Amino acid sequence: RLLLKELGRRGIKSLLVEGGSGIFTSFLNEKCADRLHLVLANIIMKNGIPLVLGNKTRNVSEGIKLKNVEYRRIGGDLLVSGRPDFGR
């Protein structure tokens, strides 16, 4: 949060954060993401690294809902963009 506040103080209003599940989880837990762009590949992996680390969501009502969702095909993949609703 300190880095984000400093960037804001310097007039930087937009930041693209790219990383793995640790970075993604940190930004969600701190409610620092105001827009998400998720690319779903046309491949289903049997094993892999989870998108979000930490406590498991037990049911759909515990999840973070996306608002203003947009979908776009990119080749065989799907780009899902939306604003996380942390107020639920």
Side-chain angles (χ1 to χ4, degrees):
R1 280 194 178 268
L2 286 173
L3 175 61
L4 296 177
K5 286 181 181 181
E6 177 61 21
L7 291 173
R9 189 185 70 72
R10 294 180 183 205
I12 297 172
K13 304 296 182 205
S14 181
L15 178 69
L16 171 66
V17 177
E18 204 173 348
S21 55
I23 297 291
F24 189 70
T25 300
S26 294
F27 270 77
L28 287 179
N29 285 344
E30 293 296 320
K31 299 180 175 131
C32 290
D34 63 354
R35 186 146 185 88
L36 299 176
H37 301 280
L38 307 168
V39 177
L40 305 174
N42 62 353
I43 298 171
I44 297 174
M45 303 295 289
K46 293 181 183 178
N47 296 322
I49 299 169
L51 180 62
V52 179
L53 302 173
N55 296 332
K56 303 266 187 225
T57 302
R58 293 175 294 207
N59 56 56
V60 173
S61 66
E62 292 179 356
I64 299 169
K65 185 166 176 65
L66 293 179
K67 303 183 294 185
N68 305 323
V69 179
E70 298 173 8
Y71 304 92
R72 189 170 116 207
R73 275 188 80 163
I74 303 173
D77 299 338
L78 179 65
L79 172 65
V80 180
S81 301
R83 297 190 176 281
D85 183 1
F86 296 112
R88 290 178 30 154

